[in-house]
């Protein structure tokens, strides 16, 4: 599970950075392509539609990811809670198995485990359906962008506004934009699915610790032991003081 948290959580940041760099390279290509590849009699202006796709596709994907974040977080939290309950139940049964067998309670615990397994399977399927649907949206949006440019860019090519090579280059750029945005979206979707584990780890790592109190108790215990040993040393005529130390408990509250 810790490997999954690292692989699907922290390491996905590098995938997002890589695909974001690809989008910047595509932007540079779109800015330079009209003046490099346009032929005589064709427009050397920037293709606004392709630049619009570069802005609109990531915006729509981020908006959908934000809108789906609530249900995604709820179902992944429920899935992880069910898994933790099942793991805790199994650990508890293992620790008291001998007692369960002695009192003939195995059918009861088997039935309870079956119910918990069924609840986890349902939660796992529900979360998987939402995550899978989230992933398909990027593919649909990229396909829609390609279809729109085939219609619009094809008409511009027939009207000799852009060359065939420029049309095909723009079409490849749109597909590359959709693929890169889709992979960024998929990485963010995976990170969103693993977010409950990351949140739980962060909470556990930032919980208050009792180390200062334990240190103070240890210093007080050593101080009192030293005083008692010095007192016994002054009174004893034979033997070692440590053998005559009494066990004392103070400031005990319950």
């Amino acid at each position: 599970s810790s490997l999954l948290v690292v692989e699907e959580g922290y390491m996905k940041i590098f995938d997002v950075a890589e695909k974001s760099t690809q989008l910047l390279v595509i932007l540079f290509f779109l800015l330079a392509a009209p003046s490099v590849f346009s032929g005589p009699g064709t427009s050397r202006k920037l293709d606004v539609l392709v630049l619009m796709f570069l802005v609109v596709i990531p915006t729509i994907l981020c908006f959908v990811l934000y809108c789906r974040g609530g249900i995604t977080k709820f179902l992944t939290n429920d899935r992880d809670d069910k898994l933790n309950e099942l793991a805790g139940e199994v650990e508890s049964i293992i620790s008291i198995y001998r007692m369960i067998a002695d009192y003939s309670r195995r059918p009861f615990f088997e039935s309870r485990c079956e119910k918990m397994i069924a609840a986890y399977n349902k939660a796992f399927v529900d979360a998987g359906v939402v995550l899978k649907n989230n992933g398909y949206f990027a593919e649909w949006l990229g396909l829609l962008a390609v279809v729109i440019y085939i219609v619009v860019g094809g008409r511009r090519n027939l009207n000799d506004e852009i060359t065939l090579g420029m049309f095909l280059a723009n079409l490849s750029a749109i597909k590359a934009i959709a693929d890169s945005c889709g992979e960024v979206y998929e990485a963010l979707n995976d990170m969103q699915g693993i977010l409950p584990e990351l949140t739980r780890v962060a909470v556990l790592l930032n919980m208050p610790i009792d180390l200062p109190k334990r240190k103070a108790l240890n210093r007080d215990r050593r101080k009192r032991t030293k005083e008692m040993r010095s007192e016994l040393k002054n009174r004893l005529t034979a033997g070692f003081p440590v053998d005559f130390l009494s066990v004392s408990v103070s400031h005990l509250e319950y």
Side-chain angles (χ1 to χ4, degrees):
S1 179
S2 58
L3 179 62
L4 182 65
V5 170
V6 175
E7 182 180 357
E8 299 294 334
Y10 300 111
M11 298 302 295
K12 289 292 182 179
I13 297 176
F14 296 101
D15 295 338
V16 173
E18 178 187 356
K19 299 307 174 183
S20 300
T21 304
Q22 290 183 6
L23 291 175
L24 291 177
V25 174
I26 294 172
L27 175 62
F28 176 77
F29 169 79
L30 294 176
L31 295 175
S35 59
V36 175
F37 298 105
S38 295
T42 57
S43 175
R44 291 178 176 269
K45 295 181 180 180
L46 294 176
D47 197 326
V48 179
L49 182 60
V50 182
L51 290 177
M52 185 182 69
F53 283 133
L54 185 60
V55 176
V56 171
I57 291 178
T59 303
I60 293 177
L61 290 177
C62 290
F63 178 74
V64 171
L65 193 65
Y66 172 77
C67 293
R68 299 278 290 177
I71 184 66
T72 302
K73 184 177 180 180
F74 173 78
L75 290 177
T76 51
N77 270 327
D78 184 59
R79 176 198 63 190
D80 296 336
D81 290 341
K82 293 293 191 301
L83 179 60
N84 291 334
E85 291 176 3
L86 179 60
E89 181 69 12
V90 171
E91 183 179 3
S92 176
I93 290 174
I94 292 174
S95 63
I96 60 171
Y97 174 75
R98 190 69 268 167
M99 182 183 297
I100 294 173
D102 292 341
Y103 284 89
S104 302
R105 299 295 291 172
R106 280 177 289 189
F108 170 79
F109 283 96
E110 287 176 2
S111 175
R112 190 158 74 174
C113 282
E114 288 176 357
K115 293 179 181 178
M116 297 181 72
I117 292 172
Y120 168 70
N121 288 339
K122 183 179 183 305
F124 181 83
V125 170
D126 292 342
V129 168
V130 171
L131 292 174
K132 181 61 71 174
N133 288 336
N134 290 348
Y136 276 129
F137 181 78
E139 299 180 15
W140 298 335
L141 186 61
L143 181 60
L144 179 62
V146 170
V147 170
I148 291 175
Y149 190 77
I150 288 176
V151 175
V152 178
R155 292 179 62 86
R156 294 185 62 194
N157 175 251
L158 293 176
N159 296 332
D160 293 329
E161 297 179 20
I162 59 174
T163 63
L164 178 60
M166 196 67 224
F167 168 73
L168 295 176
N170 287 339
L171 196 61
S172 298
I174 292 175
K175 189 176 184 305
I177 291 171
D179 291 341
S180 296
C181 291
E183 292 182 16
V184 170
Y185 177 80
E186 184 179 355
L188 293 176
N189 193 39
D190 292 339
M191 293 172 66
Q192 191 178 57
I194 210 69
L195 185 62
E197 280 92 350
L198 291 174
T199 304
R200 188 173 292 110
V201 170
V203 169
L204 292 174
L205 290 177
N206 288 277
M207 290 183 68
I209 60 175
D210 62 344
L211 189 59
K213 294 182 179 180
R214 295 174 65 180
K215 180 180 178 180
L217 289 173
N218 179 268
R219 294 295 184 268
D220 182 69
R221 183 174 65 250
R222 293 174 62 180
K223 178 182 177 182
R224 291 175 179 271
T225 302
K226 186 176 180 180
E227 293 175 352
M228 294 172 64
R229 195 167 56 225
S230 299
E231 182 181 352
L232 288 172
K233 185 177 180 180
N234 296 329
R235 289 190 304 167
L236 292 176
T237 57
F240 297 98
V242 68
D243 295 330
F244 296 91
L245 283 175
S246 59
V247 178
S248 62
V249 179
S250 61
H251 301 89
L252 180 62
E253 297 180 1
Y254 61 93

